[in-house]
Amino acid sequence: MKSNRTRSQLGRPRAFDADRALDRALTIFWRNGYEGASLPALTKAMGINRPSLYAAFGNKEALFRRALERYERGPAGYAPKALEKPTAREVVEALLDGIVALLTKPQNPGGCLMVQGALASGENAIEVMTGSVLPVAADCVMPVEQYDVVDGVVSLKSAVAATPYHNVHRRGSDSRQGALLLKSGTLLRAPEIAVAASAGMARVRVSSQPAVMIVSTGDELVEPGDPIADYQVRRSNAYACAATLRKRNFARVGDDHLLDDEEVLRDRLALHLTTHEVVILSGGVSMGKFDLVPKVLVQLGVQEVFHNVAQRPGRPMWFGIGPQGQSVFGLPGNPVSTLICLIRYVIPAIAEAMGTSRLPPERLALASPVTFQPPLAYFLPVAIEHDEWGRPWVNPRPPNGSGDFLSLAGSDGFVELPPGPNTYPKGFVSNVYRW
Ligand code: AMP
Ligand code: MG
């Protein structure tokens, strides 16, 4: 780009700026008082030497009057009567001593601030709005409720102290430069998204959600909306599972229904294993003749990790890892078991695989005693209720067997009671898992 200034122009000393020099002179007078403003200090601040000071302004008194004249024309409109005084000393008294004494509160030294434009010194005040950048050379912000403005001069109210960086949100005071704002594994909720946005992150790297396939097995299962015979069962598990995943923001969820037929299961599960990272089956994992799921999965190269868990309900649960690392969960078909196993095992396993930091489970106290004899972990549906102090308790809602999912309606989740036999007293605290 072509500059319209030549090299020689840039090198030439600037023309003497009389107004600027007067501003600087007045700053020195203001800071030191008339007597304290020495000629060397004045000439240094004004950028001139002693002879040229005399040539331009005459003596110190003439300089002072010129400076005040300029000042009076300035935006503050300050010192209106002072120049009518006959002698410099009286002007000084009127302006520097008298006015400073008037405006400076004895209990609050330094509390007199000149409004913007009056003086180019450290005693200026500038009006700023919340969130403004701190003006250069300012180091304190006072709320409008804490000062008065009289004739363009700000004075702090009594009992108000102006301390350095009061009401100033200093750069780096929320977080040091280079500090980690969000740990990996953090779920991005509203506050975390705001933090990422404030750090200018237009794109963030997040873990991808797995593609999940929910497979119901069972010849007896009938789709809601289709006609049903006495011996048939509604295919409700798939909907409960999909709702559980949806509530936890899983978006890539598919759903299939397979008959209890080895060939059908093999073909369709082979397909699902190629397209999904997580396969959740319900039904077909118990000891019955048509519980073909574990056998078929092993045929497809899914390695069994465990089958049967010492728990009620959901004992026949099966888990394996597919040839490409797919997670395959064979959940028992009884609806209470399916839902409890899904929430207790499948959801945490997916969260772990996604790198989500694990929170400790919620823990609450039983509102009434529970007796459970078998030496198994006991998953007991509960409703969370609050006492008159607002404290939450879990009220047992034992279902009538693991097929009784009607009793789950209106409950909040289940607790995990450790293997007994035991009577768990009122107040017994255990992990709570919400639906
Ligand atoms: P299973 O584990 O296949 O022996 O099934 C146990 C019980 O759960 C049987 O009464 C099944 O009819 C029932 N069941 C299996 N799958 C479902 C499902 N998707 N929805 C509702 N009930 C089911
Ligand atoms: Mg079945």
Side-chain angles (χ1 to χ4, degrees):
M1 213 193 343
K2 213 180 151 195
S3 165
N4 52 11
R5 277 181 164 195
T6 67
R7 215 169 233 281
S8 60
Q9 277 174 319
L10 283 172
R12 203 182 292 163
R14 277 218 202 146
F16 177 66
D17 184 339
D19 286 344
R20 205 178 153 90
L22 287 169
D23 282 343
R24 290 182 171 174
L26 193 56
T27 302
I28 297 296
F29 282 122
W30 179 260
R31 279 193 182 153
N32 306 297
Y34 183 80
E35 301 298 349
S38 67
L39 281 177
L42 286 164
T43 53
K44 185 164 176 252
M46 295 166 77
I48 52 177
N49 56 30
R50 192 92 50 93
S52 45
L53 173 81
Y54 290 126
F57 301 107
N59 57 18
K60 179 175 160 184
E61 183 176 331
L63 171 67
F64 180 56
R65 284 177 167 276
R66 287 278 302 279
L68 285 179
E69 268 161 14
R70 172 170 162 65
Y71 185 0
E72 198 195 8
R73 293 195 311 268
Y78 181 67
K81 295 272 170 214
L83 290 172
E84 291 169 22
K85 302 278 180 200
T87 66
R89 184 160 298 280
E90 285 169 280
V91 174
V92 170
E93 274 167 16
L95 272 165
L96 298 180
D97 298 334
I99 297 170
V100 168
L102 182 75
L103 296 173
T104 305
K105 304 204 168 174
Q107 73 275 26
N108 187 16
C112 171
L113 307 172
M114 303 300 293
V115 168
Q116 177 178 22
L119 287 173
S121 78
E123 282 82 34
N124 287 358
I126 294 178
E127 193 173 13
V128 295
M129 303 303 137
T130 304
S132 304
V133 173
L134 191 68
V136 176
D139 69 352
C140 169
V141 176
M142 301 309 292
V144 70
E145 302 86 352
Q146 293 186 354
Y147 60 80
D148 300 307
V149 184
V150 179
D151 292 338
V153 174
V154 179
S155 55
L156 298 182
K157 292 186 174 164
S158 57
V160 170
T163 50
Y165 296 102
H166 189 55
N167 293 319
V168 176
H169 203 81
R170 300 187 73 177
R171 181 180 292 193
S173 57
D174 287 340
S175 173
R176 283 170 177 276
Q177 187 168 23
L180 189 64
L181 294 178
L182 296 172
K183 269 195 272 184
S184 70
T186 304
L187 184 68
L188 297 179
R189 304 162 310 157
E192 291 79 16
I193 285 173
V195 168
S198 74
M201 309 298 289
R203 287 160 181 270
V204 251
R205 235 158 84 151
V206 295
S207 52
S208 64
Q209 288 193 341
V212 182
M213 176 54 71
I214 300 167
V215 181
S216 340
T217 69
D219 295 351
E220 76 285 18
L221 301 179
V222 176
E223 202 60 35
D226 286 354
I228 190 165
D230 285 351
Y231 57 91
Q232 291 179 312
V233 171
R234 289 286 180 200
R235 196 175 77 94
S236 63
N237 282 351
Y239 295 97
C241 291
T244 303
L245 291 162
R246 245 197 329 269
K247 187 189 166 203
R248 289 155 177 84
N249 299 319
F250 291 100
R252 302 165 66 197
V253 180
D255 163 30
D256 196 9
H257 173 203
L258 305 181
L259 299 179
D260 295 315
D261 176 284
E262 212 173 305
E263 213 172 310
V264 170
L265 284 168
R266 199 164 37 237
D267 289 354
R268 293 289 279 273
L269 288 178
L271 184 70
H272 293 324
L273 284 169
T274 61
T275 50
H276 293 80
E277 286 97 40
V278 177
V279 178
I280 303 169
L281 295 116
S282 77
V285 290
S286 305
M287 305 303 286
K289 198 172 167 199
F290 294 103
D291 293 329
L292 305 162
V293 166
K295 180 180 162 190
V296 169
L297 287 171
V298 170
Q299 286 171 4
L300 292 171
V302 181
Q303 216 166 352
E304 179 182 307
V305 177
F306 63 79
H307 190 187
N308 293 318
V309 180
Q311 61 183 17
R312 183 179 291 170
R315 186 173 188 143
M317 182 180 168
W318 190 96
F319 174 68
I321 302 277
Q324 282 83 44
Q326 305 95 321
S327 298
V328 184
F329 299 88
L331 309 184
N334 271 308
V336 179
S337 313
T338 310
L339 202 49
I340 286 177
C341 289
L342 177 70
I343 291 170
R344 177 64 186 84
Y345 302 112
V346 182
I347 298 291
I350 299 177
E352 183 79 27
M354 288 173 66
T356 312
S357 328
R358 247 206 272 185
L359 294 170
E362 186 180 7
R363 289 175 68 75
L364 290 175
L366 287 174
S368 57
V370 174
T371 298
F372 186 69
Q373 293 301 337
L376 303 169
Y378 182 32
F379 294 120
L380 171 66
V382 293
I384 297 172
E385 281 155 25
H386 294 84
D387 62 17
E388 66 267 40
W389 301 97
R391 291 172 305 193
W393 295 80
V394 287
N395 252 305
R397 291 280 191 87
N400 185 20
S402 52
D404 175 24
F405 58 99
L406 299 185
S407 69
L408 302 187
S411 67
D412 295 298
F414 57 92
V415 291
E416 178 176 349
L417 299 171
N422 205 349
T423 291
Y424 306 91
K426 176 183 175 181
F428 185 86
V429 174
S430 55
N431 292 348
V432 183
Y433 299 87
R434 298 198 185 228
W435 301 131

